Amino acid sequence: PALNSLPPELDALVETVADWTKAADLSAVLFDGTTAALIETATAAAERDGAIVPVYPRGQDGDYPLLRLIEERSVSINTTAAGGNANLMTIG
């Protein structure tokens, strides 16, 4: 249910694959299955090289915890080179 009603902007970022264990660029695994299969999936995710890949099972309501898929990014601009004046950074 949750994946069927995603906004277009978010739907463009979600990719369904037949074998997630072979996916090179993976941010999370959305899981649907038995408890035993969940344990196997979580173990396989933990054994992957690179960054930790979280595994999210469906909730009791049938939806995935979509808020957990949000990635926060922080951008800062160092204005020290312009003497602390951000307006000087836009010249040129």
Side-chain angles (χ1 to χ4, degrees), residues 18-38:
D19 186 358
W20 68 270
T21 61
K22 295 180 181 172
D25 187 23
L26 189 64
S27 298
V29 175
L30 301 178
F31 177 82
D32 186 21
T34 65
T35 302
L38 175 59

Side-chain angles (χ1 to χ4, degrees), residues 7-71:
E9 298 84 3
L10 182 57
D11 188 47
L13 300 174
V14 175
E15 180 181 354
T16 303
V17 296
D19 186 358
W20 68 270
T21 61
K22 295 180 181 172
D25 187 23
L26 189 64
S27 298
V29 175
L30 301 178
F31 177 82
D32 186 21
T34 65
T35 302
L38 175 59
I39 292 169
E40 284 182 33
T41 301
T43 301
E47 291 174 348
R48 287 176 56 97
D49 289 335
I52 295 171
V53 177
V55 177
Y56 299 117
R58 279 184 186 265
Q60 291 182 355
D61 59 358
D63 288 339
Y64 291 104
L66 297 180
L67 287 178
R68 296 209 180 242
L69 300 180
I70 295 173
E71 291 183 357

